Amino acid sequence: MSKKSTLAILLAAAMLTQAQAQTKPTPAKKTSTTAAKSQQGTRKLETVTRKSGELVIPYEKYQLPNGLTVIVHEDHSDPIVHVDVTYHVGSGREEVGKSGFAHFFEHMMFQGSDNVADEEHFKIVSEAGGTLNGTTNRDRTNYFETVPSNQLETALWLEADRMGFLLDAVTQKKFEVQRETVKNERGQRVDNAPYGLSYEKVSAALYPYGHPYSWTTIGYIEDLNRVNVDDLKNFFLRWYGPNNATLTVGGDVTPAQVVKLAEKYLGSIQRGPEVKNQKLPAPVLAQDRYISYEDNVRFPLVQMTLPTVQANHPDEAALDVLSNIIGGSKTSIIYQNMVKTQKANQAGAYHSASELAGEFTLSARVLPDQKLADAEKQLRDAIAEFEKKGVTDEDIARYKASYEASIINRLSSVSGKTSTLAAYQFMTGNANFITKERQAVNAVTKADVMRVYNQYIKGKKAVILSVVPKGKSELIAKADNFKVDPSGYKAPADQYSGLKYVKAKDSFDRSKRPAAGAVPAITVPPFWKESLANGIKVIGAKSDEVPTVTLLFTLQGGHKLEAHDPSKAGIASLTAAMLNESSLKYTAEQITTELEKLGSSIGVGSGAESMTISVQSQVKNLDATLALLEERMFRPRFDANEFDRIKKQRLEAIRNQSTQPTVVADNVYNKMLYGEGNIRAIPVVGTVATVESITLDDVKKFYANYFSPSVTNLVIVGDMDQKQIMPKLAFLNKWTPKQVTMPSDFKAASIDKTKIFIVDKEKAAQSEIRIGYMALPYDATGEYYKATLMNYVLGGAFNSRINLNLREDKGYTYGARSGFSGTEEAGPFTASAGVRSNASDASVVEFMKEIKRFREEGITDEELAFMKKAIGQGDARKYETSFQKAAFLNTMLRYNLTLDYVTKQNEILQNITKEEINALAKKYLPVDNMSIMLVGDKASIKPGLEKLGYEVVELDPDGAPVLAKADAPATPEVKKEEPVKKGRKAKVQGRVF
């Protein structure tokens, strides 16, 4: 986690705590104490409570005799608990030639331990109704789960088993599979992603050879190939001891309860070797270091990176402000000079700080064939312009207000508060570091910003990276003048010899999984409804955990309305973009400035089914925010210059889609699903041809015809009740309704037989796979809902058959899944993954094998029980935050659902039988009538695919035939069916691990 994001979390915690203090009296004291040891030798180190108006997260901190730090935050607002175990080890503890160890080990920690079988960790937490993950960065690795509060003991048992009883379960097979999984992750996020290598290249050039920040957390493929299982075990023994870890627990618990369980399950684990904090000198650049590489990109990129200060340095906050002024928003110098003037497609600046160093980065992606030397000069000109203009009081106030607002909601969840405490404990040793951070931010002055500019930026040397399209080396900013030099590097002293694995000895049987307590009672949050005379349907709920209000307007239609004139596809999205620009009274920059000063946000967007307007405001600034909302909604300027700029950017973005394999896959797959003539077969943003045809008058007409209260739903969640909020929205009553006709001629495309379709992505490291067909529309309590239950163990959970096969057993992918995603009128079933290129044909085989097997053999008794528990007990996490409440209410309003639909779903879940699931599988998994599509390197994947027994068809990135139709039909043979009757939509959520 960067220091900047960590600071954000802490400030949010402060605001949240202040809000809670206003309604929930707390002890007016704050103490730090070292109480007497418990019988087990545990020491209480600190108790932090709130004084009146003080901004802290209350907690108690303990230390076990083995060095484990335990922090407990008590919060009974929801019946859930978040458990976080943070180890103070990231890629910054690695050595030359052994990069990627920390991240690799994060994967291994989910592969079972002495008392938890392989693949059981995810299953146990999921079955308990929880969610879990792990992350690694330069400085730390953390593992966490959010579970119903009755599952606290199970969560601690799991974490303790992998901390103290892991290594005997680390087999060569598991090692090899996870090595492939990590390689797939690198392929997906780095090698197969546009600009994916940029951070790796800059890091190697910025830091001295051997500096642990000179490589990235994902590591190098050659290092991953080189290491063996013993190397990995030694890494665990060196860094994963309890004395290098912090257990942080927050939620519906008490400190005494947590400490007792921590002593039982973690107290007997032996200390590891001592771990000292690192301190390394900041990089020194004697000259600008120019580096470059060619990539499969459309827009050339230039990036300047200057070394700054490490996290918690006194100058960090001022550098954050500086980066915001130069390139952090629409009002910044870089945006105004480069993006607004159409010299760059994207441009900006940011500052990030980690435990050992910080980086100040300026970057610009310019339009095709523009030379990066010009863009570099423009970035340098922006720096010079800052020096000339200086810093204003408004710059400082605006930054502080927007910064505070952007992070306040992060602490509305127990996971947010818990992770905040954990982050500051590992970084500073003081979980209550929020006070100093607030002081640092609030103390920043104009003079501070100018001082850090002069000290770290003005005249200083940088690493300048150029990323250019393949074959366009002439566009680089300047010829490369830097190569990594390993001479002079001295390897550190060996830290891994003589390490021994000694297991804890206990007086209880760890092999017995703890019994869960009583399932906590879950209640749907109370809500209210109201309808305005002009047709707006309003639904709201009070949520007082943070002093904010969220409004979500949903205007039915969006891309779907473009079916009236498909030649103008993309117009809904362009109209939404124009509503984010100037109004009659304010320029776009003035609106942005006012919103930043208020710490508010207003955003307009458009998707496949609707246009949305989201509003976020602190309660104290709601009136001023709503005044700006009224301007943006009802008095758009529709400026010709702004339209020309946005249209040009949109056309370039569409042309750039060919460089993004996942976007190509989704676009072509949609075209195959819906068929020619269906608006859903055209991307939401449109095509080059359709967007080129759109004029400003077209946008004005679309707004006039379809921007109507008659198709608008409004969800309100926040710290205000109905009587308080509705009078403030009186301006909505002036909105004149219009008759909006929704297209109703939706026809689905059917598939005569299963075929394979290939879209060539030359030399792609991975293949994107999509397998599916048009299934059924959404229904909250009908067959659609039941089909989602059926799919859960096939491809809807981490422990699903598909993911366990392709990721955990074969190592073909970073993640594989399947699911139904119904809307009112349509609903595809899709199985998908990004797989390594040389496993493309094998992955198709395994996908189809699992789908066929599930269709033919059905669900097992164990899987049925798992599904019912996992989905049923997950209700404890459904309504915790304002955003979760808003999503729930939005679904109810959109589909006109009654409150008892939740009860009905639960009844269906608990009563559904094995026979019903199996019947659904036979009905909705038609393996002989699906499309199988791959976007990958045709030369390497086609020969294997041709051996699978399916007809193989080649498509171009637009879904059109590559060969003549007589040789190879490029799209599924379809027949038009009767319109699918309207249904309802459910959001299918996936997880990334």
Side-chain angles (χ1 to χ4, degrees), residues 292-319:
S292 65
Y293 73 97
E294 297 180 10
D295 198 0
N296 183 27
V297 297
R298 178 174 175 81
F299 306 119
L301 164 73
V302 63
Q303 180 173 309
M304 298 175 57
T305 304
L306 300 91
T308 59
V309 299
Q310 73 274 17
N312 302 318
H313 190 283
D315 291 340
E316 184 192 1
L319 283 162

Side-chain angles (χ1 to χ4, degrees), residues 289-520:
R289 296 177 177 177
Y290 285 88
I291 57 174
S292 65
Y293 73 97
E294 297 180 10
D295 198 0
N296 183 27
V297 297
R298 178 174 175 81
F299 306 119
L301 164 73
V302 63
Q303 180 173 309
M304 298 175 57
T305 304
L306 300 91
T308 59
V309 299
Q310 73 274 17
N312 302 318
H313 190 283
D315 291 340
E316 184 192 1
L319 283 162
D320 289 344
V321 177
L322 174 64
S323 70
N324 190 66
I325 296 170
I326 292 178
S329 71
K330 280 189 175 182
T331 60
S332 69
I333 297 170
I334 288 178
Y335 183 88
Q336 290 295 309
N337 292 359
M338 299 186 72
V339 179
K340 189 98 186 242
T341 60
Q342 302 184 43
K343 294 175 181 176
N345 190 54
Q346 295 178 18
Y350 62 90
H351 179 243
S352 60
S354 301
E355 187 174 9
L356 303 180
E359 299 159 12
F360 194 102
T361 301
L362 307 94
S363 66
R365 294 184 188 179
V366 301
L367 299 178
D369 297 322
Q370 292 190 16
K371 292 187 176 180
L372 291 176
D374 296 333
E376 180 193 351
K377 182 179 184 301
Q378 290 158 11
L379 291 176
R380 293 186 184 276
D381 288 345
I383 294 173
E385 183 175 330
F386 165 78
E387 182 175 359
K388 183 178 179 180
K389 287 184 174 180
V391 188
T392 66
D393 289 330
E394 187 178 80
D395 287 333
I396 301 292
R398 189 173 63 212
Y399 172 81
K400 292 177 181 178
S402 61
Y403 191 62
E404 173 186 283
S406 68
I407 46 113
I408 189 171
N409 280 312
R410 295 190 189 183
L411 270 293
S412 62
S413 67
V414 67
S415 62
K417 289 180 283 185
T418 305
S419 60
T420 296
L421 295 170
Y424 272 83
Q425 175 62 33
F426 100 78
M427 186 71 81
T428 71
N430 177 11
N432 189 35
F433 200 71
I434 184 172
T435 303
K436 291 185 178 180
E437 288 296 341
R438 287 190 63 252
Q439 290 171 349
V441 172
N442 291 331
V444 172
T445 65
K446 294 183 292 184
D448 289 329
V449 178
M450 292 306 302
R451 176 179 53 78
V452 298
Y453 164 75
N454 288 314
Q455 185 172 349
Y456 303 105
I457 308 302
K458 182 179 179 180
K460 297 299 185 290
K461 306 305 179 184
V463 172
I464 298 101
L465 168 71
S466 298
V467 184
V468 296
K470 292 181 178 179
K472 298 278 188 177
S473 60
E474 71 275 8
L475 299 179
I476 65 173
K478 190 177 286 188
D480 292 10
N481 66 355
F482 175 80
K483 289 185 178 180
V484 175
D485 182 10
S487 64
Y489 168 72
K490 294 183 179 179
D494 177 54
Q495 301 187 73
Y496 297 98
S497 62
L499 298 175
K500 294 182 179 180
Y501 180 36
V502 181
K503 294 184 184 180
K505 295 181 180 180
D506 300 295
S507 58
F508 66 97
D509 185 358
R510 283 186 183 266
S511 66
K512 293 183 179 179
R513 176 180 168 183
V519 176

Side-chain angles (χ1 to χ4, degrees), residues 271-284:
R271 296 176 67 96
E274 292 307 308
V275 178
K276 295 181 180 179
N277 290 338
Q278 297 184 93
K279 220 170 190 182
L280 296 173
V284 177

Side-chain angles (χ1 to χ4, degrees), residues 230-248:
D230 290 330
D231 292 325
L232 205 68
K233 289 182 176 182
N234 279 331
F235 191 83
F236 172 83
L237 292 173
R238 176 66 186 89
W239 303 110
Y240 276 75
N243 49 306
N244 196 37
T246 299
L247 166 66
T248 310

Side-chain angles (χ1 to χ4, degrees), residues 66 73 83 151 252-253 267 343 396 414 434 438 544 562-563 575 685 776 778 837 851 980:
N66 60 7
H73 166 64
V83 175
Q151 300 290 343
D252 190 18
V253 297
K343 294 175 181 176
I396 301 292
V414 67
I434 184 172
R438 287 190 63 252
D544 60 4
E562 296 165 4
T575 303
V685 294
L776 70 171
Y778 172 80
S837 183
I851 296 171
V980 176

Side-chain angles (χ1 to χ4, degrees), residues 221-235:
I221 289 290
E222 55 267 31
D223 289 352
L224 292 171
N225 286 334
R226 183 184 302 118
V227 301
N228 59 50
V229 69
D230 290 330
D231 292 325
L232 205 68
K233 289 182 176 182
N234 279 331
F235 191 83

